[in-house]
Amino acid sequence: MMDEAAQPSAPANERATPARESLSTPGPSRGEITRQRILEAAEAVFGELGYYEASISEITRRAGVAQGTFYIYFRTKREIFVELVKDLGRRLREASAAATAGLTNRLEIERQGFIAFFRFAAAHRSVYRIVEEAERVAPEAAQEYYQSISRGYARGLRAAMEAGQIRPMDPETLAYALMGIGHFLALRWIVWPQLTNAPASAAATEARNARAAAPQSQDESEQSAEQVLPPQVFATLMDFITHGLALTSSPTEPGPEARPSEPQPD
């Protein structure tokens, strides 16, 4: 990423707006790059300090920009916090879409989608604290974070049901159930170990972030998921999903364990 921290900031009346900057800069404009760097700094600050202890001055310090530059893009601390929640959700959806692009088999989509999610969670552990705080600070942003994920998830599941790949169920309910599985597995094996053993896991975190940024083949990405999660955890997850989504010959007939037991004689 371009480093603008060493560049002196222009006087306020000479600073170009993001729209004007984009006219002379190919690809992402300087304004877009600066805005994203501020968001990345905000992710680190909110993740470490929490919403109430975080400050705009600390965000701009870490982003390497003047406080005046901050106000070109965001008006308040709450506004950048809400935008950060949206940005994290967008990046998570983009990572999932990139990992499953071109796939048509639903079980393979689930596999690659979960791999992408766990890699994202490993690179952005602070998302858990940020979204949890958003439920109190900006509940509408927290709800939209989850709903924006669930909408696309439910559409994909519905399409797979209509194609006869998986058994018919309520797509929205299933989407939230699968999201919950991924959420708590990442919490247990990615977030909690980092909180209890942060110094020891710093090198591993850096290595995982480097792997997440590099293109990988299917075999490499599956291996990466098993390095983030214990191999037996990922294998158990996929076994559960495979059997839970699989078509059955008698989907409406309960199994023996689901039937009420016969009353026993006294």
Side-chain angles (χ1 to χ4, degrees):
M1 179 178 292
M2 182 185 300
D3 182 11
E4 299 178 18
Q7 299 177 359
S9 58
N13 62 353
E14 294 180 10
R15 291 194 193 105
T17 64
R20 289 174 59 191
E21 289 170 352
S22 64
L23 297 176
S24 58
T25 307
S29 69
R30 286 182 61 187
E32 291 168 338
I33 293 171
T34 300
R35 183 180 187 276
Q36 190 60 38
R37 189 161 78 247
I38 295 172
L39 281 170
E40 290 171 358
E43 179 184 348
V45 174
F46 286 126
E48 293 172 18
L49 304 180
Y51 177 81
Y52 294 103
E53 295 299 322
S55 65
I56 291 174
S57 61
E58 179 62 15
I59 292 170
T60 55
R61 186 188 71 80
R62 297 203 194 189
V65 301
Q67 286 200 39
T69 303
F70 176 94
Y71 290 106
I72 294 176
Y73 304 96
F74 309 101
R75 292 173 295 180
T76 63
K77 182 172 78 169
R78 187 182 190 278
E79 181 176 292
I80 192 174
F81 184 76
V82 169
E83 287 300 312
L84 175 61
V85 174
K86 293 179 180 178
D87 185 65
L88 287 168
R90 175 188 57 79
R91 284 190 279 166
L92 173 57
R93 296 193 304 274
E94 288 178 352
S96 177
T100 59
L103 300 178
T104 57
N105 180 277
R106 187 66 218 179
L107 293 178
E108 185 60 23
I109 290 172
E110 290 298 323
R111 173 181 290 275
Q112 297 303 324
F114 271 103
I115 288 171
F117 171 74
F118 292 130
R119 291 175 63 203
F120 187 89
H124 302 274
R125 288 178 174 84
S126 60
V127 70
Y128 276 80
R129 179 173 187 175
I130 291 168
V131 176
E132 180 183 358
E133 280 206 298
E135 294 175 359
R136 299 185 297 273
V137 176
E140 72 286 354
Q143 291 175 21
E144 177 58 25
Y145 172 87
Y146 290 115
Q147 289 171 351
S148 62
I149 297 171
S150 70
R151 284 192 291 266
Y153 206 162
R155 283 196 299 269
L157 291 168
R158 181 181 292 107
M161 293 173 194
E162 293 172 351
Q165 293 188 359
I166 60 176
R167 62 193 181 96
M169 292 175 276
D170 178 67
E172 183 179 9
T173 302
L174 182 58
Y176 276 100
L178 292 170
M179 287 165 57
I181 291 172
H183 176 93
F184 279 99
L185 290 184
L187 193 64
R188 166 62 180 84
W189 275 282
I190 297 175
V191 177
W192 289 349
Q194 176 75 4
L195 295 176
T196 57
N197 192 25
S201 60
T205 300
E206 183 177 351
R208 282 195 291 267
N209 291 348
R211 288 195 300 270
Q216 294 181 312
S217 68
Q218 177 176 328
D219 290 343
E220 288 172 332
S221 62
E222 288 186 18
Q223 182 182 19
S224 175
E226 292 182 353
Q227 291 170 344
V228 173
L229 295 183
Q232 74 276 11
V233 173
F234 189 73
T236 299
L237 165 67
M238 292 314 306
D239 183 66
F240 180 81
I241 290 176
T242 298
H243 288 86
L245 299 183
L247 293 168
T248 59
S249 56
S250 302
T252 59
E253 183 178 348
E257 68 284 353
R259 300 189 185 103
S261 58
E262 295 294 333
Q264 299 296 318
D266 294 335

